[in-house]
Amino acid sequence: MNWHVAKRMGVVLAVALLAACSDDGDGGGKADGGSSDGGTNTGKSLGPGLGRSKDDPTGQAFALPAGLTLENPIVAYVPENPEDCDDKYSDEANGSGEEVRVCLIFKNTTSSPITVTLPPGLILKSTNDDVQNGIIVQTISIVVPPGERYFAPMFAYCVNQDRSTTGLDDRYELGPAVTHKDFQEVFTLLAGKKLTREAAGRVQTVVHHVSQGEGLSAADRATLQSL
C-alpha cells in the first residue's frame, strides 16, 4: 500500500467517525426543533429543504455569469486530502463553516477573467436527502481565470441537523438562495465580518435554530453581533 492510498483510507475513516451535523452547544437549541433560548417558534423546519424537511429548497433562483460553467454534480472536499480539488488546502478555501465542504470546479470559456458572486443564502443541495444541505451566510466572490478548469474549495453551514455529515462520496448541486426573513437578518448581522473557525461554530448554532423554525432569538442576535 503506498502512502497516497494509506492517507486516503485514513481520511475516509475519519469522515466515517464524524457524528451527524449537530448543535455546537452555544445556543441551547434542542434536537427536536424546540428552543431553550427564546426562539419564537417550535417548528422543525423553516421551509422546504431546511430543518427536517426533505423537500427541494425554494427561494431566489441563481444563475452563473455568461461564459462560465460549473461541473455537476459538485464533489465533496476534504481539506486534509485535497487531491481532488487541485491540491488546494483550507487557506485557499472560500466561505466559512465546518459542516459542508465542497469543491466548485468552474470553466471560463472566454478570454478574460470572470468574477462569480455567490449571494448569502445560496443553498448547496445534497443529491442524497439523507445527507445535509449547506448554506453560505456571506457574499463570496471568486475570480475565475480565462480558458482553464478552475478549482475553488468552499465551506458552508449545515441546515439539516438530523441528517448525516457530508462524506467523501457525497455530491451536491447549486440550489436557490433562501429569502426567509430570519435568515436575511442573520446575513445582515454577519455582513463584513471575518469569521474564525471558533466563530463559525457559533454561527452554526444560530443557523440550526433558524433552519428549524425556532426564530432568531435575542441570544442569537447577541452571538452574531459579538463576532
Side-chain angles (χ1 to χ4, degrees), residues 9 23 90 104 119 176 181 225:
M9 288 181 66
D23 195 314
S90 295
L104 304 177
K181 178 181 176 182
Q225 289 166 344

Side-chain angles (χ1 to χ4, degrees), residues 42-103:
T42 57
K44 294 180 176 61
S45 174
L46 179 64
L50 307 175
R52 294 178 183 247
S53 170
K54 291 196 174 185
D55 294 330
D56 287 340
T58 59
Q60 181 67 43
F62 175 78
L64 293 170
L68 194 66
T69 61
L70 176 67
E71 291 186 14
N72 278 303
I74 298 167
V75 299
Y77 169 68
V78 179
E80 298 79 11
N81 186 24
E83 191 173 304
D84 294 332
C85 199
D86 199 31
D87 288 322
K88 291 186 176 179
Y89 286 87
S90 295
D91 59 351
E92 297 180 80
N94 304 275
S96 62
E98 295 294 309
E99 302 290 352
V100 179
R101 299 175 174 185
V102 299
C103 182

Side-chain angles (χ1 to χ4, degrees), residues 167-179:
L168 282 172
D169 295 326
D170 291 320
R171 298 294 180 260
Y172 284 84
E173 301 169 348
L174 281 187
V178 297
T179 57

Side-chain angles (χ1 to χ4, degrees), residues 121-203:
L122 186 67
I123 293 290
L124 288 162
K125 179 184 175 295
S126 173
T127 60
N128 179 350
D129 65 11
D130 289 327
V131 175
Q132 62 200 25
N133 294 327
I135 190 172
I136 65 173
V137 298
Q138 294 174 302
T139 300
I140 295 175
S141 294
I142 301 172
V143 179
V144 182
E148 68 176 73
R149 192 167 176 244
Y150 184 76
F151 295 76
M154 189 174 78
F155 293 174
Y157 294 86
C158 164
V159 292
N160 311 99
Q161 187 174 4
D162 64 324
R163 296 195 196 181
S164 298
T165 301
T166 304
L168 282 172
D169 295 326
D170 291 320
R171 298 294 180 260
Y172 284 84
E173 301 169 348
L174 281 187
V178 297
T179 57
H180 304 287
K181 178 181 176 182
D182 286 337
F183 265 126
Q184 294 305 313
E185 186 175 356
V186 169
F187 307 150
T188 297
L189 290 170
L190 291 176
K193 291 183 181 291
K194 184 175 178 61
L195 299 177
T196 63
R197 185 169 186 174
E198 185 275 336
R202 299 170 70 187
V203 172

